[in-house]
Amino acid sequence: MNAEPARLAAGMPYDVARVRADFPVLATRVRGKRLAFLDTAASAQRPLQVIEAVAAYERTSHANVHRGVYQLSQRATDAFEGARERVRRFLNAASEREVIFTRGTTEAINLVAQSWARSTLGPGDEILITWMEHHANIVPWQMVCQQTGATLKVAPIDRRGELRLDAFRALLSPRTRLVAFTAVSNSLGTVLPAAEIVAAARAVGALVLVDAAQAVPHERVDLRALDCDFLAFSGHKLYGPTGIGVLWGREAVLREMPPWQGGGDMILTVSFERTTYNALPYKFEAGTPNISGAIGLAAAIDYLEGLGIERVHAHEQALLQRATAALGRIPGLTIVGQAARKAGVISFTLEGVHPHDLGTILDAEGVAVRAGHHCAMPVMDFFEVAATARASFGCYSDEADLEQLVAALGHAREVFG
Ligand code: PLP
């Protein structure tokens, strides 16, 4: 299996062929063709190390956590809590009390909306987001604004797909109670200026939530440097399992928040007259958690850090540059989102071909790209397109994927000529 950690330690170059060997699905054929998997932004593939960590847990250690006095339950609890500590270290968080396991980014943001925002906000208060948000960072705020009478404000973007920082700053005021923004746009690839956004939000006394779903797989996120109050991400975009994610929250803020869901594990005592709640983070983890998912997530973090996040980032950036140049040479192709700083995501349209038809033609050539609105309909409206096709890269993406994409696009042009 993977020799990359040793190569990393020895200062040797990134070897994408070795990395690809860790991902069994990449060897499968699609419609008789080599698979060029270019939809990592939607969900990354899993390496053997993650698959086997989950299987080993299922084979040897599964039981419910936190409740059993018997050894197997203790083992499961140790593995589950060990995963929490692994996430804490990954994010450089102060305490594992701040690490709450959720189903994913969506649930993490809804938790903040329904616990913190719903209990804190009222008429006259404002939540500020950006035009580039995934629906997961729009709709929960719309819902809580309806519930509380607070107002949702949206900071605009420009034609390159960058946040208009001046306009963002102009929308901030002492009424702004929360700024919620994506660190990296899933539809455009834009890397947002997180430090500037956080500093500006802090200056008016607002709390800050960072949607890091598209950030943590590609660049190191250090909570102590970022200085936000909440951060959310999903395991499945980080080479881990689906159905597991994380809400990190600053302990002082989490302590004041009421629980969101009620049930087992989140309580200390229950009687029909009165219930007392458990300590952090369990207060926010009602019911049996996704134990194997958390273990898989920890294995995925081990895997990514074994590759070296900085090396993966450099690899993806090199691929992004080559892809941008190659796609830019295709007549009739328009890249949607041309920010100065981008992650490995290219959204594009091809003249005369609906993105869904394009997706189907590319699929016939073994190329998996996403076609649609990418759960970011306001971005599509802004660029006046119904949808785009989107190619996105991960640690295993290579030159051959890119060549296959370019050839398939050439074929699509012939078909729709
Ligand atoms: N935020 C961003 C930026 C995303 O890209 C996604 C998923 O595409 C989400 C939130 C939602 O993540 P999940 O569906 O894993 O909850």
Side-chain angles (χ1 to χ4, degrees):
M1 249 197 273
N2 186 290
E4 279 301 308
R7 294 172 58 81
L8 169 65
M12 292 165 78
Y14 191 75
D15 185 344
V16 69
R18 284 175 189 268
V19 174
R20 290 179 67 83
D22 289 332
F23 290 83
V25 76
L26 297 180
T28 60
R29 295 182 76 77
V30 169
R31 304 194 188 284
K33 304 272 168 56
R34 173 190 183 273
L35 169 64
F37 184 75
L38 291 169
D39 197 19
T40 293
S43 199
Q45 297 298 344
R46 284 80 151 145
L48 279 168
Q49 289 81 342
V50 169
I51 296 167
E52 286 173 4
V54 172
Y57 164 77
E58 301 289 6
R59 277 202 205 98
T60 64
S61 308
H62 174 67
N64 211 331
V65 288
H66 301 146
R67 298 170 199 181
V69 289
Y70 53 92
Q71 209 214 3
L72 201 60
S73 173
Q74 199 54 55
R75 217 185 284 163
T77 303
D78 289 348
F80 182 67
E81 291 304 326
R84 197 188 306 278
E85 164 56 21
R86 188 68 188 89
V87 171
R88 184 205 66 74
R89 223 167 358 112
F90 178 57
L91 299 175
N92 194 21
S95 158
E96 64 260 32
R97 290 187 294 280
E98 300 179 325
V99 176
I100 298 159
F101 284 120
T102 63
R103 280 194 300 126
T105 307
T106 303
E107 189 174 72
I109 296 173
N110 276 278
L111 194 166
V112 177
Q114 288 304 312
S115 169
W116 178 81
R118 193 167 182 176
S119 66
T120 310
L121 303 186
D125 290 328
E126 293 176 0
I127 297 169
L128 178 56
I129 61 173
T130 83
W131 209 287
M132 254 177 293
E133 302 307 320
H134 186 282
H135 297 162
N137 202 25
I138 301 173
V139 184
W141 308 122
Q142 289 175 326
M143 290 164 66
V144 82
C145 283
Q146 275 179 358
Q147 289 158 343
T148 62
T151 304
L152 185 63
K153 299 268 176 172
V154 185
I157 56 177
D158 64 20
R159 298 303 299 175
R160 285 156 60 92
E162 292 188 343
L163 179 65
R164 288 175 47 198
L165 256 181
D166 286 355
F168 167 78
R169 288 202 175 95
L171 284 165
L172 285 169
S173 79
R175 288 189 300 278
T176 315
R177 302 290 307 280
L178 179 75
V179 171
F181 72 98
T182 189
V184 176
S185 154
N186 70 309
S187 55
L188 301 171
T190 308
V191 177
L192 278 81
E196 282 95 331
I197 294 172
V198 175
R202 286 260 173 269
V204 297
L207 295 192
V208 179
L209 178 144
V210 179
D211 173 351
Q214 298 291 346
V216 288
H218 308 293
E219 59 184 35
R220 183 160 296 286
V221 170
D222 182 335
L223 282 171
R224 301 202 204 178
L226 191 56
D227 192 34
C228 57
D229 299 286
F230 301 106
L231 181 131
F233 71 90
S234 300
H236 69 103
K237 295 186 196 285
L238 188 72
Y239 312 105
T242 50
I244 186 76
V246 168
L247 172 69
W248 170 86
R250 194 182 289 282
E251 187 168 353
V253 181
L254 290 176
R255 226 184 288 127
E256 299 303 314
M257 285 163 47
W260 173 33
Q261 296 178 327
D265 255 20
M266 53 74 73
I267 53 86
L268 284 179
T269 61
V270 176
S271 72
F272 289 120
E273 291 71 39
R274 183 164 177 270
T275 291
T276 57
Y277 302 127
N278 206 342
L280 291 174
Y282 311 111
K283 181 170 83 171
F284 294 109
E285 290 182 354
T288 301
N290 182 352
I291 308 165
S292 65
I295 287 159
L297 172 59
I301 292 171
D302 281 343
Y303 180 77
L304 184 60
E305 292 204 324
L307 296 185
I309 298 181
E310 291 74 15
R311 288 200 320 161
V312 170
H313 179 75
H315 171 72
E316 292 171 353
Q317 285 294 308
L319 217 47
L320 173 70
Q321 277 180 15
R322 284 200 287 276
T324 305
L327 266 56
R329 284 193 291 272
I330 297 176
L333 189 145
T334 304
I335 294 177
V336 180
Q338 311 228 23
R341 282 193 66 210
K342 281 181 68 172
V345 169
I346 303 190
S347 257
F348 57 92
T349 57
L350 191 59
E351 204 173 10
V353 191
H354 191 282
H356 285 125
D357 295 335
L358 188 55
T360 306
I361 292 174
L362 297 188
D363 177 52
E365 303 295 320
V367 177
V369 298
R370 184 131 299 234
H373 53 63
H374 317 295
C375 295
M377 283 185 179
V379 172
M380 301 297 119
D381 289 345
F382 178 80
F383 285 99
E384 295 170 334
V385 291
T388 68
R390 181 189 71 186
S392 55
F393 310 121
C395 65
Y396 40 66
S397 306
D398 69 357
E399 204 66 48
D401 292 336
L402 189 52
E403 282 166 18
Q404 209 170 323
L405 170 65
V406 171
L409 285 168
H411 182 62
R413 288 191 63 242
E414 282 164 22
V415 171
F416 283 88

